[in-house]
Amino acid sequence: MTDQAPPAGETNVASGEALVRMAGVNKHFGDLHVLRDIDLEVAKGEVVVVLGPSGSGKSTLCRTINRLETYESGTITIDGQPLPEEGAELAKLRADVGMVFQSFNLFAHKTILQNVTLGPIKARKIGKAEAEQRAMDLLKRVGVQEQAEKYPAQLSGGQQQRVAIARSLAMRPKVMLFDEPTSALDPEMINEVLDVMAGLAKDGMTMIVVTHEMGFARRAADRVVFMADGQILEQQAPEEFFANPRSDRAKDFLSKILTH
Amino acid sequence: MSSLFSDYQIWTALWATVKLTLISAVGSLIVGTIVATLRLSPVGVLRFVGTSYVNIFRNTPLTLIILSCSFVLYIQLGISLADSADPKFADVNGFRLAAVGMTVYHATYVCEALRSGFNTIPIGQAEAARSIGLTFSQTMREIILPQAFRGAVVPLGNTLIALTKNTTVAVTISVYELSGVLKTVTERDPGLLNLAFMVVGAFFILLTLPMGVGLGWLGKRVAVKR
Ligand SMILES: Nc1ncnc2c1ncn2[C@@H]1O[C@H](COP(=O)(O)OP(=O)(O)OP(=O)(O)O)[C@@H](O)[C@H]1O
Ligand SMILES: [Mg+2]
């Protein structure tokens, strides 16, 4: 990790104020009520880890924040602005919200460098030379600068995920969403990705992280949000949550996770 | 043999076939790509337009489409595609009308080939593109279409081969391409027919065989590794 200014983009809200605000958000998949009256505020610079059993709606929560999923009621604002409907406005807002997927989703027909420069060039209209310069800095930051001319399929999973993080960072996002970024990785590669994420957290990036890595939650999270059946059941500081979970669902969940 | 070549303008006919193939191929690639994009559009009306286009033109015989280009577009509606002062007006106009018909028809196959290419692309590719702030058209241009073309080289190649052979339908509106030679020989000198059929057949094989081999090779070369 090199010494660098924090990678986050400029925001309207000041440090400590709510950057992401969800109020009364509801979503269904057909008859299935996957998000129930979600109220969640994430302050600028805060790192929130979302925990919960499979199917509890964690991915859907992440995906509604940048509107990869629609929702039926409630409001979501990012940096004081409500989420727009489809169209150019929405694309602009998405550029401010980084997203890292479980399956990396690097653009398979583009080189690593092109993966990282595409967004800045197309969505931010930055010149190619400058975009490449910044991309190389970011690739160095996540430790894959040697792979810049390769294609995604030639990299290990851990390297691909670090490139995916660099690709998001290249947009100078206001907030980053991570949906189980290490679940598809071989165990020996998990830490290299978590270390990059912990570095971002330390540099003041606002982050919402869905993960089963309890070590990361303890180490890097300011707050743990526990979800079950589409609801947020608890929100606490990590030490408090792991030591004294209040709901039965959380106790049950932790007993299952922590015994392996 | 030599009289076949000298009296029936075989080289001119071959050139017409090649030209009609190339122009219709480029035309149907463009129109087919647009129709395929319509079919993926988030706007329902556009999807409907795309689907209707394919359903109508793919299910109409090519001969009917080519004939209606001449009879409906030109003779009924008076739409001509060449300069009426041109001494070769009839030839040029007929050729261009045939190219339009070929394009309209084969675009449906290009569209369907591209759709098979779309199916090779994981949904996460488009989601990642949207999540870095690309618009729908940027996502199509930068991510979806390039991968779809790479995944669709072989079906696109099959369409090109079919298109090449289908140029023979243009004779129905008097375009002098290779099958026009056969028509004229039949009328004027049936004794030459066997030879004419062999020569024209050989030309088509010479045109299509390299296409199949070349595109098979290209398909492997540009395949997207996942
Ligand atoms: N596209 C979809 N269509 C229909 N149902 C869906 C869809 N996506 C998710 N679901 C359902 O919505 C519920 C919440 O899914 P979600 O993926 O948000 O859960 P999760 O908490 O991320 O689970 P996991 O830990 O397994 O990733 C699940 O019951 C899931 O089956
Ligand atoms: Mg999930």
Side-chain angles (χ1 to χ4, degrees), chain A residues 106 110-116 136 139-140 142-156 158-160 162-163:
Chain A
L106 293 181
K110 292 192 179 283
T111 65
I112 296 308
L113 186 64
Q114 289 168 340
N115 264 273
V116 182
M136 286 311 297
L139 289 174
K140 199 178 288 172
V142 301
V144 287
Q145 70 274 29
E146 262 89 55
Q147 322 293 332
E149 297 307 322
K150 291 191 183 162
Y151 285 87
Q154 297 171 280
L155 270 60
S156 74
Q159 289 173 326
Q160 288 191 53
R162 285 182 281 149
V163 172

Side-chain angles (χ1 to χ4, degrees), chain A residues 63 66-68 86 88 91 94-95 97 99 101 105-110 118-119 122-123 125 153 167 171, chain B residues 42 122-135 138 141-144 146-147 150 224-226:
Chain A
R63 293 164 56 85
N66 68 354
R67 223 170 191 289
L68 285 179
E86 280 300 328
R94 282 199 184 116
V97 180
M99 175 115 189
F101 302 86
N105 296 347
L106 293 181
F107 305 129
H109 63 305
K110 292 192 179 283
L118 183 67
K122 296 292 168 189
K125 312 287 180 210
R167 175 175 69 182
M171 301 305 292
Chain B
I123 180 82
Q125 296 283 304
E127 290 190 341
R130 286 154 74 201
S131 80
I132 58 170
L134 300 193
T135 60
Q138 288 173 328
R141 261 201 321 271
E142 295 291 332
I143 308 301
I144 305 301
Q147 293 192 39
R150 287 155 184 255
V224 179
K225 297 189 184 53
R226 301 195 188 277

Side-chain angles (χ1 to χ4, degrees), chain A residues 152-191:
Chain A
Q154 297 171 280
L155 270 60
S156 74
Q159 289 173 326
Q160 288 191 53
Q161 194 61 300
R162 285 182 281 149
V163 172
I165 293 174
R167 175 175 69 182
S168 287
L169 287 175
M171 301 305 292
R172 302 224 164 118
K174 295 172 176 174
V175 51
M176 298 238 331
L177 313 172
F178 296 82
D179 187 7
E180 302 203 28
T182 58
S183 302
L185 297 178
D186 292 337
E188 72 271 17
M189 294 174 187
I190 290 177
N191 278 331

